[in-house]
Amino acid sequence: MLPGVRGVRDVPGRDDALALTLPGPLAAVTGLRTAVAAWVVVHLDVPRPKSFTSPEHMGRIVDAVYASLRVAGSSTFRFEAAGADSAVFARLAGMLHEATGLQHDPDEGDLVVRVRRGARSAAARPAAAARPAGRAAGHDVDPGWDVLVRVGPRPLSARTWRVADFPGAANATIAAAVARLAGVRAEDRVLNLMAGSGTLLVERLLAGPAAAAVGVDLDPAALDAARANLEAARLLARPPRPVLLRADATDADALAAAVLGPLGGPADVVLADPPWGTLHGSHADAPRLHAGLLRAAHAASARGARLVVLTHEVKVMERVVRDASDLWLPRSATRVFAKGHHPRIHVLDRR
C-alpha cells in the first residue's frame, strides 16, 4: 500500500499503533483501509511544551502541518492535549496561525494537532548498576514530547460513502478488516446478516469483486440507510448489484428460503455485526441472538463457508461458539479497538 516505506516498528507502550518512515508525499496513506488515522510525528527533546516556541521546534511543527495540508486542505485547527486551554497553548495557537494562516478553532478545528509525552524506550534506560541509588528505572532519561499532526481533515475511518449514518454502525476500518479476514475472492457469494447501515457489505464489495451479495436486516430504517450508503459507494449499479432483504437473521428456515434465490445458491462468506449495548437489542438477549445467528448462517451457507462475526459480546460469543461446535469450527479471534471498546472479530469455518 505504501511503496518506499521503511522502518515499520511498534510504538513503545502502545498496542494500537505502528510507526514508519515514508519518504516523499503522504497522499498514499489516504488509501489505507484498515488504519483509523495517519499522523505525521515530530519528536521534540524538550522538557515541556513551552519550549515548542523556539524557531527550530516551531519550524518542524509547521513543516508537519504543511505535509498534511498538501494531502487535503483545512482552514482550521485544534489541539488535542492536556492543558490545551492554557496560556502556553494559546501562544502556540497564535504562532501556528501566523505561520500557516489556519484559524484556531479549539472545538471544531479540522486539522488536529495532538501533543503528548514521548514514549520511554527501554533501550534508553540505564542499567540498574549505572543508576544512582534510590532512583527508579525509567526516570533517568526525559522522554520529551511528541507532536502529531493528523493527515487530512478527517480520520481515514470517515468514509465518503457514509451518507446515511445509523446508531451503532460499525467503524469502517474495522469493517475493512472483517472483509480481509473473510478473504476476498471473486467467486464468493457474500451474505451480510444483521447488515445495519451496510458498513460490512460496502467495505467487502469495495475490497474486491464477488459473484453475488445480499444484505439482510429486520429493521426497515437500517435497510434504507444501507441502500443509501451502497448507492453513495456506487455499488448498486455495478455487478454483483447487491440485494437488500428484510428477514430475521436468527430464523434458520426463513433465512435460507429468503436468500438462496438472490444469492444463486448457498453463501460462501457470511458477515455479521450483531447489535450491542442499548441502542439495538439488549445484553440479556445477546445469547439467543448470537446462537440464532450461528444456526441461521449455517443453514444459508455452503460446506466450508467462512463466517466472520464482529461482536462486543465477547464472553457470549465464546460460549455460543463452543455450543455450536457441530456447526462451526473456530479459526481465529482478533481483538480490535473501537472508541474505548475492544470487540472481537471471530472467523469460523462451516462444518
Side-chain angles (χ1 to χ4, degrees):
M1 293 298 296
L2 300 175
V5 70
R6 62 177 185 267
V8 179
R9 58 201 181 276
D10 292 325
V11 176
R14 302 183 68 88
D15 55 5
D16 62 345
L18 291 173
L20 54 88
T21 299
L22 179 63
L26 302 179
V29 303
T30 62
L32 297 176
R33 307 302 294 178
T34 57
V36 174
W39 305 78
V40 180
V41 182
V42 177
H43 179 72
L44 301 175
D45 286 317
V46 296
R48 57 188 64 86
K50 182 178 180 180
S51 303
F52 295 178
T53 57
S54 76
E56 177 189 356
H57 298 323
M58 182 54 62
R60 294 180 62 197
I61 296 171
V62 169
D63 286 345
V65 168
Y66 276 119
S68 173
L69 292 176
R70 280 191 287 271
V71 174
S74 301
S75 59
T76 58
F77 73 95
R78 71 179 189 272
F79 289 111
E80 286 185 355
D85 56 351
S86 67
V88 169
F89 277 93
R91 185 183 177 196
L92 290 173
M95 295 178 71
L96 201 54
H97 164 68
E98 184 178 350
T100 66
L102 297 174
Q103 296 295 323
H104 180 220
D105 183 338
D107 298 318
E108 303 293 336
D110 288 334
L111 188 142
V112 178
V113 180
R114 182 177 290 175
V115 178
R116 68 186 185 205
R117 285 294 259 168
R120 290 185 181 275
S121 171
R125 299 172 189 163
R131 291 194 302 269
R135 182 173 293 182
H139 294 281
D140 304 274
V141 179
D142 191 296
W145 291 82
D146 288 333
V147 179
L148 297 87
V149 180
R150 192 173 69 194
V151 178
R154 304 197 317 167
L156 299 177
S157 57
R159 306 292 207 244
T160 56
W161 56 256
R162 193 185 292 283
V163 295
D165 214 346
F166 196 74
N171 181 294
T173 57
I174 295 176
V178 168
R180 296 273 189 89
L181 289 170
V184 179
R185 304 173 186 171
E187 66 272 17
D188 280 342
R189 293 182 290 258
V190 179
L191 175 61
N192 181 197
L193 301 179
M194 303 177 182
S197 56
T199 305
L200 295 185
L201 191 58
V202 170
E203 287 297 321
R204 165 57 187 86
L205 296 179
L206 289 177
V214 171
V216 172
D217 204 282
L218 199 56
D219 185 348
L223 292 173
D224 288 342
R227 187 171 292 105
N229 287 330
L230 284 162
E231 184 175 9
R234 301 181 179 179
L235 293 169
L236 289 180
R238 76 184 199 198
R241 294 184 175 84
V243 175
L244 297 175
L245 300 174
R246 187 183 181 201
D248 185 348
T250 64
D251 186 330
D253 293 337
L255 179 69
V259 304
L260 292 183
L263 277 175
D268 302 297
V269 176
V270 183
L271 311 175
D273 175 21
W276 66 284
T278 57
L279 290 173
H280 309 286
S282 67
H283 177 71
D285 194 42
R288 180 198 67 81
L289 194 73
H290 284 66
L293 166 65
L294 264 60
R295 289 192 299 270
H298 188 272
S301 59
R303 185 175 181 83
R306 293 98 68 201
L307 169 62
V308 187
V309 181
L310 169 64
T311 180
H312 291 259
E313 296 286 357
V314 176
K315 297 299 183 183
V316 169
M317 185 63 181
E318 291 174 351
R319 186 166 63 251
V320 299
V321 168
R322 287 195 300 269
D323 293 343
S325 60
D326 59 328
L327 304 178
W328 296 98
L329 177 67
R331 185 195 303 178
S332 64
T334 303
R335 182 175 183 259
V336 294
F337 296 80
K339 294 183 178 179
H341 299 281
H342 301 94
R344 303 294 193 274
I345 303 174
H346 287 263
V347 182
L348 312 170
D349 294 310
R350 187 187 186 278
R351 293 187 184 273

